[in-house]
Amino acid sequence: MLVSTRRREQVTTRLFILPLAIVFVALFAIPVARSLYFSFTNFGGYSTKVSFIGFANYTALFSNPTVLTGLSFTLVYAIGQALIVTVIAIPLAIALNRRFVGRNFVRAALFFPAVPSAVILGLVWTFILAPISMGVVNSVLGELFGVGPVPWLSTNLLARLSVIGVGVWSQVGWHAMLYLAYLQSIPTDYYDAADVDGASSMQRLFRITVPLLAPAMTVSIVLLVVFGLQVYALPLALTGGGPGYATYTMSQTIIQLGISNAQYGQGAALSILFLLMVALVLVVQVTILRRREARLR
Amino acid sequence: MRRRSWVNRLATSVVMISIACTVAFPFYYIIVNTFKTQQQTSESPLGLPTSLSLTNYKNVWDNIPVLQSFENTLRVTVLSVAFMLLLGSMAAYGIVMRKNRASRRIHIVLLLALAVPFQVTLIPIYQAFVKFHLVDSLNGLVIIYTGGAIFSYFLIQGYMQTIPLEIIEAARIDGCGTVRMYWRIVIPLIRPVLVTVGIFQTIWVWNDFLAPTVFIISPQNYTLVLQAYQSVGEYTTNWPAFMTLSVLSLIPITIFFLLMQRHIVSGLAAGAVKG
């Protein structure tokens, strides 16, 4: 009797896991396997017969200038915004941890840009950076310094910097909140002990606060880089990938090749490279940053 | 000494409020301009409107099916988030109840899925959707977002390990069936994590652009974000209308943020400190 209830329970708990297992197989395992398979075939394009072509798709990618530009901008964006956000978010979090008038308003205002879609944020910034009189940045610069309209979105370098700048603006507040959550979990005893020992405020910052934020840095930087590599909507809304291909992203290239041009083989090869990059970033960052955490402890 | 701390606090206030205003400035800028005519906007892009004209709102509302897109987005978001929470919590319960090697293995295999961005599975999923007639369908979007159930599973499973399972054991000894136990005991116990995960997944689905832009073709199926992006072309010369459309698409998510702000901040804190 007892044995049979146990058995029935085993069967039902298995049934509880089943739907998620189906999701895993249908939306992850099979598609990844098929991407891998396509990446070694000439599937799509003009041929009807599918045959293995080895690494030809991969070598074709590296001789395609559009792919390379997209790859390089995506890397620059992912690393650039991660660095800048980290450098701004930590001092911001330390300031937010103090008591001051209007703190709740400040926290909400800083966090809010993380809430709307990147598409809408990109569109909003196209008005602000526009070269005509309604573009508020240029009209203010013109009035104050008498400089002509700065082509924020239409030269290669400035367009790239603008995309990174808007990316930083939209994320810095919520990463500051993430650091703040860790700061609030640091016991005040540490600071009290430091005061007794006569530590300066700089020593308190670099000997207590920053080391104890190491785990937060692991989480924050991994999130920034992994999501940074997947950037798609923001540059598309802000610059449309241009001027030329200056702010083209890897995601845009995958969609272009694999959906619009029906070059499934090459698109799949690029998506497999993308997966390897994300996996590499995860492994490297987690090991390096965890080691750093251990050293600082 | 006390005087100095008071001065410090005031200085911090001034600096922080100025930073917050700078960060919030773009929102001020687009909102004030929705109440102006095109001429007023180009004459003083920053000033407050002289009169509260709603012409732009009427113009956008009459020309763009904003309400239709809103309904589409709402339907997709509600269904996707419901599926994610249901499948994620069911699996978390199943795994936590079976503490054996097989369930540990399943847990690790599922972990692999977290490293796979949607860009990687996009092309095969697109081909499968063509075959099953799920391209240009809102249900197709719901299926794609249900993939988020795996992420939900990890957060829910992590939370379940912090709650005492004795209460479940006690119910089991009292002869409570597995299904009833899940529904009557487990779900109420894990409510806080369901709220947190639900909020973050709602923001993700509501804002997502990648899936709609690839999978949705006909305008009557546009989500709000896709509608805003696609309609921008119609207003390239009429800036106030262009900004009005952006503001309209910001309203629902802003209301959601204001209602859920408390949960968002506490959820971020809990998730961060544990993760």
Side-chain angles (χ1 to χ4, degrees):
Chain A
M1 165 67 188
L2 197 67
V3 174
S4 81
T5 13
R6 272 255 161 223
R7 262 202 81 75
R8 213 172 56 217
E9 219 168 72
Q10 290 258 316
V11 173
T12 33
T13 48
R14 222 172 277 173
L15 288 177
F16 269 79
I17 304 171
L18 188 66
L20 194 70
I22 294 172
V23 166
F24 176 79
V25 171
L27 291 175
F28 292 93
I30 293 177
V32 170
R34 282 177 72 89
S35 271
L36 192 63
Y37 166 73
F38 290 152
S39 75
F40 293 109
T41 67
N42 62 355
F43 184 49
Y46 301 103
S47 61
T48 44
K49 221 175 66 196
V50 177
S51 53
F52 276 95
I53 53 168
F55 284 90
N57 286 323
Y58 290 89
T59 48
L61 287 178
F62 284 105
S63 54
N64 182 338
T66 315
V67 173
L68 294 179
T69 327
L71 184 67
S72 75
F73 176 65
T74 306
L75 286 174
V76 167
Y77 176 84
I79 296 167
Q81 48 102 43
L83 280 177
I84 302 172
V85 167
T86 307
V87 169
I88 303 176
I90 295 178
L92 206 55
I94 292 171
L96 283 172
N97 202 23
R98 295 201 193 145
R99 285 210 277 157
F100 60 89
V101 181
R103 189 166 64 166
N104 287 339
F105 160 75
V106 171
R107 285 184 185 175
L110 291 180
F111 186 86
F112 184 73
V115 177
S117 167
V119 174
I120 309 293
L121 299 179
L123 295 178
V124 167
W125 277 89
T126 57
F127 309 130
I128 297 175
L129 298 175
I132 56 173
S133 64
M134 287 174 238
V136 71
V137 171
N138 280 325
S139 64
V140 168
L141 285 179
E143 264 170 45
L144 291 183
F145 306 105
V147 290
V150 180
W152 294 110
L153 303 174
S154 43
T155 71
N156 288 0
L157 179 67
L158 280 178
R160 287 180 172 167
L161 291 177
S162 299
V163 172
I164 293 174
V166 176
V168 168
W169 166 78
S170 70
Q171 298 177 92
V172 75
W174 97 254
H175 281 270
M177 297 296 281
L178 201 141
Y179 283 111
L180 180 63
Y182 278 85
L183 280 179
Q184 287 172 338
S185 70
I186 298 178
T188 45
D189 309 10
Y190 292 178
Y191 295 107
D192 295 343
D195 281 342
V196 170
D197 293 344
S200 72
S201 56
M202 275 294 143
Q203 280 173 323
R204 283 163 45 130
L205 177 64
F206 285 103
R207 294 293 162 91
I208 302 177
T209 313
V210 173
L212 286 171
L213 280 181
M217 285 178 75
T218 309
V219 175
S220 165
I221 295 177
V222 167
L223 287 175
L224 281 166
V225 175
V226 169
F227 286 118
L229 287 173
Q230 297 180 44
V231 65
Y232 171 67
L234 178 66
L236 199 61
L238 196 60
T239 60
Y245 289 99
T247 55
Y248 224 65
T249 56
M250 260 181 110
S251 306
Q252 214 172 337
T253 320
I254 291 174
I255 293 171
Q256 183 72 36
L257 288 173
I259 310 284
S260 317
N261 299 359
Q263 289 174 309
Y264 301 123
Q266 281 197 30
L270 187 58
S271 67
I272 292 298
L273 280 180
F274 192 58
L275 178 60
L276 291 178
M277 274 168 59
V278 171
L280 187 73
V281 168
L282 284 174
V283 170
V284 169
Q285 283 196 322
V286 172
T287 24
I288 290 180
L289 294 169
R290 290 262 183 237
R291 204 172 290 160
R292 184 169 161 262
E293 270 175 43
R295 209 180 54 228
L296 285 172
R297 228 167 235 154
Chain B
M1 185 67 198
R2 172 172 284 175
R3 209 184 138 73
R4 233 189 99 194
S5 84
W6 185 83
V7 171
N8 263 343
R9 206 180 278 184
L10 187 72
T12 315
S13 264
V14 171
V15 172
M16 293 308 281
I17 291 175
S18 344
I19 293 177
C21 289
T22 314
V23 166
F25 164 75
F27 299 107
Y28 162 79
Y29 170 67
I30 59 160
I31 291 168
V32 292
N33 280 307
T34 60
F35 300 109
K36 297 178 191 168
T37 63
Q38 203 162 355
Q39 203 195 344
Q40 287 168 331
T41 300
S42 55
E43 277 165 7
S44 89
L46 280 182
L48 284 167
T50 42
S51 62
L52 208 68
S53 146
L54 292 175
T55 329
N56 291 315
Y57 284 91
K58 196 176 171 323
N59 174 2
V60 171
W61 192 264
D62 290 344
N63 287 312
I64 297 185
V66 183
L67 198 62
Q68 169 83 63
S69 317
F70 172 80
E71 281 170 17
N72 292 342
T73 319
L74 189 66
R75 193 180 124 196
V76 169
T77 307
V78 168
L79 286 176
S80 315
V81 173
F83 282 137
M84 280 188 249
L85 293 181
L86 182 69
L87 300 193
S89 63
M90 279 171 64
Y93 170 60
I95 294 277
V96 169
M97 292 305 284
R98 293 159 54 93
K99 287 214 162 83
N100 56 26
R101 206 193 266 161
S103 67
R104 261 199 306 280
R105 272 194 201 137
I106 296 173
H107 183 79
I108 288 166
V109 170
L110 287 174
L111 197 59
L112 292 176
L114 291 188
V116 179
F118 181 51
Q119 285 88 336
V120 177
T121 53
L122 182 66
I123 296 170
I125 289 179
Y126 188 81
Q127 288 168 347
F129 272 31
V130 170
K131 204 182 290 170
F132 296 117
H133 304 290
L134 285 166
V135 174
D136 199 19
S137 127
L138 294 176
N139 292 335
L141 286 186
V142 173
I143 293 175
I144 290 170
Y145 294 132
T146 302
I150 294 181
F151 183 63
S152 311
Y153 156 79
F154 278 98
L155 296 180
I156 296 168
Q157 195 261 352
Y159 183 83
M160 281 180 80
Q161 288 184 332
T162 65
I163 57 172
L165 293 174
E166 286 85 13
I167 186 163
I168 297 177
E169 283 301 321
R172 186 182 11 211
I173 289 161
D174 288 346
C176 186
T178 318
V179 177
R180 241 184 66 192
M181 207 143 69
Y182 165 74
W183 200 247
R184 287 288 175 80
I185 295 168
V186 174
I187 291 288
L189 273 175
I190 61 171
R191 234 183 68 105
V193 75
L194 293 182
V195 171
T196 310
V197 176
I199 289 171
F200 282 96
Q201 303 286 37
T202 301
I203 294 179
W204 167 53
V205 174
W206 189 277
N207 286 336
D208 183 53
F209 180 65
L210 184 56
T213 194
V214 171
F215 287 89
I216 297 298
I217 298 155
S218 25
Q220 78 264 18
N221 287 334
Y222 281 176
T223 60
L224 208 50
V225 168
L226 186 59
Q227 181 69 263
Y229 179 75
Q230 295 287 10
S231 309
V232 153
E234 290 189 26
Y235 287 124
T236 40
T237 50
N238 186 352
W239 277 43
F242 192 46
M243 297 191 207
T244 307
L245 181 61
S246 311
V247 170
L248 276 176
S249 48
L250 279 174
I251 291 172
I253 200 77
T254 306
I255 294 173
F256 184 76
F257 170 71
L258 292 176
L259 290 177
M260 298 295 171
Q261 203 187 348
R262 194 169 51 92
H263 294 289
I264 292 176
V265 173
S266 65
L268 192 67
V273 174
K274 235 184 292 151

